[in-house]
Amino acid sequence: MGCRLAHCCWYCKNKLYSKSRFCQGVSDAKIRIFDLGRKKAKVDESPLCGHIVIDEDQPSFEALEAAQICANKYMVKSRGKDVFHIRVRLHPFHVLHINKMWSCAGADRLQTGMQGAFGKPGTVAVHRGQAMVSMGTNLHNKEHVIEALCRVKFKFPGCQKIHISKKWGFTKFNVDKFNKMAKSLILDSCGVKYIPNRGPLDK
């Protein structure tokens, strides 16, 4: 059986709902692994990073899992499993309210109701307007990253945008600043730690 229709879910545009003692009966997200590929790669091995940003709708955890599998399958098939790092940036904690209605054949003859009603807590999703999936790799794999993210777009509802980041990998520093600040940075797996000039003399 397919997923619920979009107009059966409550479109939340203000304060988000989260799972609490006041909002119970919510199923947990099935996505458990948020990093795929070469997770222990050093920062200097993956300077290129691409993001996919969704500006509309509220993608569910099924969409996140499908996008992760799609990107991983393409990159493993085209470039191998040790040249990229895929990271799902957001965790699905946003509770969607579903107006439970039948969606089978002939349901309009059996049940009618207001579409888009408040409904009851159902599945979980993520908030829109943020980077959903990011992929870090080498500079010569740029075309494959763009193609993988283009295939990921089909797994999300609404309109998506693909951004090639100006930052160095998954860090918060631009490429030019990263090279200049190399002496003040300590490599920490796929990220870096900034050591300022100020502080105790013994350090």
PDB file of all heavy atoms in Angstrom, residues 112-129:
ATOM      1  N   THR A 112     -16.654  10.241   3.054  1.00  0.00           N
ATOM      2  CA  THR A 112     -16.403  11.626   2.662  1.00  0.00           C
ATOM      3  C   THR A 112     -16.081  12.416   3.921  1.00  0.00           C
ATOM      4  O   THR A 112     -16.591  12.128   5.004  1.00  0.00           O
ATOM      5  CB  THR A 112     -17.623  12.248   1.963  1.00  0.00           C
ATOM      6  OG1 THR A 112     -18.753  12.170   2.843  1.00  0.00           O
ATOM      7  CG2 THR A 112     -17.934  11.521   0.671  1.00  0.00           C
ATOM      8  N   GLY A 113     -15.244  13.408   3.785  1.00  0.00           N
ATOM      9  CA  GLY A 113     -14.866  14.209   4.935  1.00  0.00           C
ATOM     10  C   GLY A 113     -14.054  15.412   4.504  1.00  0.00           C
ATOM     11  O   GLY A 113     -13.688  15.562   3.329  1.00  0.00           O
ATOM     12  N   MET A 114     -13.784  16.272   5.441  1.00  0.00           N
ATOM     13  CA  MET A 114     -13.030  17.482   5.154  1.00  0.00           C
ATOM     14  C   MET A 114     -11.558  17.137   4.951  1.00  0.00           C
ATOM     15  O   MET A 114     -10.923  16.547   5.829  1.00  0.00           O
ATOM     16  CB  MET A 114     -13.190  18.474   6.307  1.00  0.00           C
ATOM     17  CG  MET A 114     -12.467  19.785   6.077  1.00  0.00           C
ATOM     18  SD  MET A 114     -12.777  20.995   7.363  1.00  0.00           S
ATOM     19  CE  MET A 114     -12.111  20.147   8.781  1.00  0.00           C
ATOM     20  N   GLN A 115     -11.010  17.499   3.818  1.00  0.00           N
ATOM     21  CA  GLN A 115      -9.615  17.254   3.531  1.00  0.00           C
ATOM     22  C   GLN A 115      -8.769  18.341   4.171  1.00  0.00           C
ATOM     23  O   GLN A 115      -9.125  19.513   4.182  1.00  0.00           O
ATOM     24  CB  GLN A 115      -9.374  17.219   2.025  1.00  0.00           C
ATOM     25  CG  GLN A 115     -10.104  16.077   1.340  1.00  0.00           C
ATOM     26  CD  GLN A 115      -9.870  16.079  -0.153  1.00  0.00           C
ATOM     27  OE1 GLN A 115      -9.294  17.013  -0.675  1.00  0.00           O
ATOM     28  NE2 GLN A 115     -10.320  15.053  -0.833  1.00  0.00           N
ATOM     29  N   GLY A 116      -7.618  17.947   4.721  1.00  0.00           N
ATOM     30  CA  GLY A 116      -6.757  18.894   5.407  1.00  0.00           C
ATOM     31  C   GLY A 116      -7.202  19.202   6.818  1.00  0.00           C
ATOM     32  O   GLY A 116      -6.839  20.242   7.369  1.00  0.00           O
ATOM     33  N   ALA A 117      -8.011  18.344   7.424  1.00  0.00           N
ATOM     34  CA  ALA A 117      -8.457  18.559   8.794  1.00  0.00           C
ATOM     35  C   ALA A 117      -7.297  18.323   9.763  1.00  0.00           C
ATOM     36  O   ALA A 117      -6.233  17.822   9.394  1.00  0.00           O
ATOM     37  CB  ALA A 117      -9.624  17.638   9.123  1.00  0.00           C
ATOM     38  N   PHE A 118      -7.505  18.691  11.031  1.00  0.00           N
ATOM     39  CA  PHE A 118      -6.416  18.596  12.005  1.00  0.00           C
ATOM     40  C   PHE A 118      -5.987  17.155  12.221  1.00  0.00           C
ATOM     41  O   PHE A 118      -4.809  16.835  12.199  1.00  0.00           O
ATOM     42  CB  PHE A 118      -6.847  19.238  13.326  1.00  0.00           C
ATOM     43  CG  PHE A 118      -5.733  19.393  14.304  1.00  0.00           C
ATOM     44  CD1 PHE A 118      -4.758  20.351  14.121  1.00  0.00           C
ATOM     45  CD2 PHE A 118      -5.643  18.559  15.403  1.00  0.00           C
ATOM     46  CE1 PHE A 118      -3.729  20.492  15.020  1.00  0.00           C
ATOM     47  CE2 PHE A 118      -4.621  18.697  16.314  1.00  0.00           C
ATOM     48  CZ  PHE A 118      -3.658  19.668  16.118  1.00  0.00           C
ATOM     49  N   GLY A 119      -6.936  16.253  12.412  1.00  0.00           N
ATOM     50  CA  GLY A 119      -6.624  14.834  12.511  1.00  0.00           C
ATOM     51  C   GLY A 119      -5.915  14.446  13.789  1.00  0.00           C
ATOM     52  O   GLY A 119      -5.923  15.165  14.782  1.00  0.00           O
ATOM     53  N   LYS A 120      -5.266  13.281  13.740  1.00  0.00           N
ATOM     54  CA  LYS A 120      -4.564  12.718  14.884  1.00  0.00           C
ATOM     55  C   LYS A 120      -3.073  12.575  14.565  1.00  0.00           C
ATOM     56  O   LYS A 120      -2.684  12.500  13.395  1.00  0.00           O
ATOM     57  CB  LYS A 120      -5.144  11.342  15.241  1.00  0.00           C
ATOM     58  CG  LYS A 120      -6.602  11.393  15.684  1.00  0.00           C
ATOM     59  CD  LYS A 120      -7.094  10.006  16.043  1.00  0.00           C
ATOM     60  CE  LYS A 120      -8.545  10.058  16.519  1.00  0.00           C
ATOM     61  NZ  LYS A 120      -9.057   8.721  16.887  1.00  0.00           N
ATOM     62  N   PRO A 121      -2.225  12.527  15.598  1.00  0.00           N
ATOM     63  CA  PRO A 121      -0.785  12.366  15.349  1.00  0.00           C
ATOM     64  C   PRO A 121      -0.497  11.069  14.610  1.00  0.00           C
ATOM     65  O   PRO A 121      -0.955   9.996  14.986  1.00  0.00           O
ATOM     66  CB  PRO A 121      -0.179  12.347  16.761  1.00  0.00           C
ATOM     67  CG  PRO A 121      -1.183  13.013  17.615  1.00  0.00           C
ATOM     68  CD  PRO A 121      -2.527  12.699  17.020  1.00  0.00           C
ATOM     69  N   GLY A 122       0.270  11.185  13.541  1.00  0.00           N
ATOM     70  CA  GLY A 122       0.575  10.015  12.731  1.00  0.00           C
ATOM     71  C   GLY A 122       2.059   9.801  12.571  1.00  0.00           C
ATOM     72  O   GLY A 122       2.735   9.322  13.472  1.00  0.00           O
ATOM     73  N   THR A 123       2.617  10.208  11.447  1.00  0.00           N
ATOM     74  CA  THR A 123       4.018   9.972  11.136  1.00  0.00           C
ATOM     75  C   THR A 123       4.862  11.173  11.548  1.00  0.00           C
ATOM     76  O   THR A 123       4.361  12.163  12.063  1.00  0.00           O
ATOM     77  CB  THR A 123       4.186   9.702   9.635  1.00  0.00           C
ATOM     78  OG1 THR A 123       5.547   9.407   9.354  1.00  0.00           O
ATOM     79  CG2 THR A 123       3.753  10.904   8.823  1.00  0.00           C
ATOM     80  N   VAL A 124       6.156  11.064  11.318  1.00  0.00           N
ATOM     81  CA  VAL A 124       7.082  12.131  11.665  1.00  0.00           C
ATOM     82  C   VAL A 124       7.779  12.618  10.394  1.00  0.00           C
ATOM     83  O   VAL A 124       7.927  11.869   9.422  1.00  0.00           O
ATOM     84  CB  VAL A 124       8.135  11.667  12.689  1.00  0.00           C
ATOM     85  CG1 VAL A 124       7.510  11.502  14.047  1.00  0.00           C
ATOM     86  CG2 VAL A 124       8.795  10.373  12.248  1.00  0.00           C
ATOM     87  N   ALA A 125       8.187  13.872  10.395  1.00  0.00           N
ATOM     88  CA  ALA A 125       8.822  14.474   9.229  1.00  0.00           C
ATOM     89  C   ALA A 125       9.828  15.510   9.701  1.00  0.00           C
ATOM     90  O   ALA A 125      10.111  15.643  10.892  1.00  0.00           O
ATOM     91  CB  ALA A 125       7.762  15.102   8.311  1.00  0.00           C
ATOM     92  N   VAL A 126      10.379  16.252   8.748  1.00  0.00           N
ATOM     93  CA  VAL A 126      11.332  17.315   9.056  1.00  0.00           C
ATOM     94  C   VAL A 126      10.771  18.633   8.544  1.00  0.00           C
ATOM     95  O   VAL A 126       9.885  18.670   7.692  1.00  0.00           O
ATOM     96  CB  VAL A 126      12.710  17.037   8.411  1.00  0.00           C
ATOM     97  CG1 VAL A 126      13.330  15.795   9.000  1.00  0.00           C
ATOM     98  CG2 VAL A 126      12.584  16.907   6.904  1.00  0.00           C
ATOM     99  N   HIS A 127      11.292  19.734   9.088  1.00  0.00           N
ATOM    100  CA  HIS A 127      10.821  21.055   8.696  1.00  0.00           C
ATOM    101  C   HIS A 127      11.481  21.460   7.383  1.00  0.00           C
ATOM    102  O   HIS A 127      12.600  21.067   7.076  1.00  0.00           O
ATOM    103  CB  HIS A 127      11.126  22.064   9.791  1.00  0.00           C
ATOM    104  CG  HIS A 127      10.376  23.346   9.653  1.00  0.00           C
ATOM    105  ND1 HIS A 127       9.041  23.387   9.325  1.00  0.00           N
ATOM    106  CD2 HIS A 127      10.764  24.632   9.785  1.00  0.00           C
ATOM    107  CE1 HIS A 127       8.642  24.648   9.283  1.00  0.00           C
ATOM    108  NE2 HIS A 127       9.685  25.425   9.555  1.00  0.00           N
ATOM    109  N   ARG A 128      10.783  22.288   6.624  1.00  0.00           N
ATOM    110  CA  ARG A 128      11.258  22.690   5.305  1.00  0.00           C
ATOM    111  C   ARG A 128      12.232  23.867   5.418  1.00  0.00           C
ATOM    112  O   ARG A 128      12.360  24.494   6.446  1.00  0.00           O
ATOM    113  CB  ARG A 128      10.064  23.083   4.434  1.00  0.00           C
ATOM    114  CG  ARG A 128       9.248  24.212   5.024  1.00  0.00           C
ATOM    115  CD  ARG A 128       7.896  24.310   4.350  1.00  0.00           C
ATOM    116  NE  ARG A 128       7.106  25.397   4.938  1.00  0.00           N
ATOM    117  CZ  ARG A 128       6.407  25.284   6.057  1.00  0.00           C
ATOM    118  NH1 ARG A 128       6.392  24.146   6.705  1.00  0.00           N
ATOM    119  NH2 ARG A 128       5.724  26.309   6.520  1.00  0.00           N
ATOM    120  N   GLY A 129      12.895  24.171   4.277  1.00  0.00           N
ATOM    121  CA  GLY A 129      13.787  25.317   4.206  1.00  0.00           C
ATOM    122  C   GLY A 129      15.188  25.064   4.713  1.00  0.00           C
ATOM    123  O   GLY A 129      15.913  26.009   4.993  1.00  0.00           O
TER     124      GLY A 129
END
